[in-house]
Amino acid sequence: MFLRRIIDDQKIPAVIAPVVASDYKAITKKKFSFNWNLEKERTVYKLTAKGDSTILGLISVTIVTTDQLVEIRLLAVTVEQIGKEKKIDRIAGNLIAFAARLAVKEFGANAAITLIPKTALRQHYINRYGFEPAGRILFAEGAKLFELLKSFDHD
Amino acid sequence: MTKQEQKITDLYSPEDLAENFVFPNALTARQKKDADESLRTELRQRRMAQTADFKVSGALLQLRYQIEDYVNDVNFDKRKSFGHFLKMYVDCFNKRHVEFAKEINVKPAELSQYINDHRKPPQHIMVRLELHSSNMIPAVDWYRLSEKATIHKLSTDKVMRRAEMKFVHNGRS
């Protein structure tokens, strides 16, 4: 699992771990765009570069055992890595692939991940990550899920 | 859309939004229920159409992640032995042990010893498992799994420490 430094195309190993209580001091609305305190009772993971404690991205998921899927509730890359200021790539992709890994670890071949996108952003998730539509929900399962894992080195 | 979401939407291009965010869903409970039902129908059809081969691949990948996470976990769980995961591996293929033993060229009795943790697996067996899985589960992961038990035993074996005391003189106290 690696990030990419844009300036020189170098790979940077990434680490994804559960968010702990002390992390919330650094998880501000200013940096991570949403009020992540509302997700405190949820399953939230942080992405950092290996050896660096600076949080680069967050994902909140729900593991839905009855449907054998992991639902992506919320995801945000730090504002410092968005737009013109961006120095590191693949943050969101690695977080989405991690949700896929969680799903496969729990549910094997039946694993799926889902998200409910804003209409204007639907096609991007489809093009970028191989999601498919089922009504209002986008999902990835089967071969497409495995491709997603492979493209972010979880194969 | 909330005020915060509007603020974010105004700040970034649609490409940047999609590339860096998944927004909270704004569905009502009823809409979510209907959406979930559509999804369930779709997933049911997809899962029914899975080939036997794909099911095996899914089971293997699941097992690989479980092994990876366990070897990287600082905690030791005596139930999660090499034999425990080897049995899970064999079960992925829905084959009888006798048939599987043939596939990696070991006697059934030898396979049984590995599964029941009565015999430590040599490295060449781990390599055969890697090859058998078409590199889905690396030999190194099997090795680290096997060594985890050894490391735990070495760190916690008080009997051995008491026995070895007599061989140590003038050590730092």
Side-chain angles (χ1 to χ4, degrees):
Chain A
M1 181 171 44
F2 65 91
L3 306 165
R4 188 178 69 89
R5 194 163 54 206
I6 294 169
I7 196 166
D8 56 7
D9 209 32
Q10 283 299 303
K11 289 184 182 180
I12 304 168
V15 175
I16 296 178
V19 164
V20 296
S22 55
D23 287 327
Y24 281 96
K25 265 185 289 199
I27 299 175
T28 60
K29 218 192 228 181
K30 195 175 173 189
K31 274 198 174 152
F32 292 99
S33 305
F34 303 108
N35 182 359
W36 284 88
N37 288 314
L38 298 176
E39 300 297 305
K40 266 184 178 167
E41 301 306 312
R42 301 280 181 176
T43 308
V44 185
Y45 293 91
K46 61 184 176 182
L47 183 149
T48 58
K50 194 172 182 182
D52 185 340
S53 60
T54 310
I55 300 173
L56 298 173
L58 296 163
I59 186 170
S60 173
V61 298
T62 302
I63 299 175
V64 185
T65 306
T66 46
D67 294 327
Q68 297 182 292
L69 61 85
V70 170
E71 183 184 301
I72 299 173
R73 289 173 45 82
L74 191 61
L75 185 155
V77 171
T78 178
V79 298
E80 291 148 358
Q81 296 296 341
I82 301 176
K84 292 197 183 88
E85 305 304 319
K86 180 172 169 167
K87 293 178 177 53
I88 296 174
D89 198 12
R90 292 167 57 98
I91 297 171
N94 269 300
L95 286 166
I96 291 174
F98 181 76
R101 188 187 187 279
L102 274 176
V104 172
K105 186 185 167 190
E106 286 298 316
F107 309 118
N110 283 345
I113 58 171
T114 67
L115 58 89
I116 300 174
K118 297 229 167 286
T119 311
L121 309 181
R122 232 170 128 84
Q123 198 56 45
H124 175 88
Y125 296 117
I126 291 170
N127 296 341
R128 181 83 173 85
Y129 302 113
F131 279 96
E132 299 176 77
R136 291 174 192 254
I137 297 179
L138 293 183
F139 71 98
E141 65 82 49
K144 293 230 164 129
L145 193 70
F146 284 23
E147 273 167 39
L148 172 63
L149 286 161
K150 192 169 182 170
S151 65
F152 288 93
D153 308 307
H154 284 292
D155 65 329
Chain B
M1 200 184 292
T2 64
K3 253 194 233 169
Q4 179 63 14
E5 288 173 25
Q6 187 62 58
K7 201 173 156 194
I8 300 168
T9 309
D10 291 342
L11 260 177
Y12 301 112
S13 67
E15 292 75 25
D16 277 344
L17 288 172
E19 188 63 32
N20 298 288
F21 297 100
V22 172
F23 286 82
N25 87 71
L27 301 186
T28 63
R30 178 60 200 250
Q31 287 172 332
K32 181 75 171 45
K33 189 165 177 272
D34 291 344
D36 284 344
E37 207 41 59
S38 300
L39 175 69
R40 272 186 206 110
T41 303
E42 187 64 40
L43 287 178
R44 203 177 303 125
Q45 287 170 0
R46 299 293 186 100
R47 287 162 179 166
M48 274 170 48
Q50 284 178 0
T51 62
D53 216 39
F54 181 81
K55 286 178 187 172
V56 171
S57 296
L60 286 178
L61 196 56
Q62 179 180 30
L63 181 60
R64 173 182 157 167
Y65 291 155
Q66 289 176 359
I67 292 173
E68 270 179 14
D69 286 355
Y70 176 61
V71 296
N72 289 322
D73 189 348
V74 294
N75 298 305
F76 176 76
D77 183 344
K78 68 178 180 193
R79 293 168 301 181
K80 293 184 180 177
S81 64
F82 178 92
H84 165 81
F85 284 108
L86 177 56
K87 183 176 183 309
M88 286 174 74
Y89 179 77
V90 177
D91 288 346
C92 286
F93 297 94
N94 249 323
K95 290 183 178 171
R96 291 169 58 231
H97 289 191
V98 167
E99 196 184 343
F100 179 81
K102 242 190 234 176
E103 288 182 5
I104 60 167
N105 203 23
V106 299
K107 293 194 169 76
E110 187 182 341
L111 178 65
S112 177
Q113 286 181 318
Y114 297 139
I115 285 175
N116 292 303
D117 296 308
H118 291 162
R119 182 169 163 179
K120 195 167 167 165
Q123 289 179 15
H124 70 263
I125 293 298
M126 300 175 194
V127 171
R128 289 185 200 180
L129 291 173
E130 175 188 287
L131 295 169
H132 185 271
S133 73
S134 301
N135 304 322
M136 188 84 99
I137 303 177
V140 167
D141 283 356
W142 287 112
Y143 178 78
R144 290 173 70 203
L145 183 58
S146 175
E147 287 305 299
K148 189 159 172 138
T150 307
I151 288 167
H152 177 77
K153 188 176 189 316
L154 189 59
S155 338
T156 57
D157 195 338
K158 290 184 178 141
V159 171
M160 191 199 295
R161 277 167 174 75
R162 276 197 294 272
E164 296 304 314
M165 281 284 274
K166 62 179 180 286
F167 299 110
V168 179
H169 308 289
N170 300 328
R172 291 165 62 90
S173 51

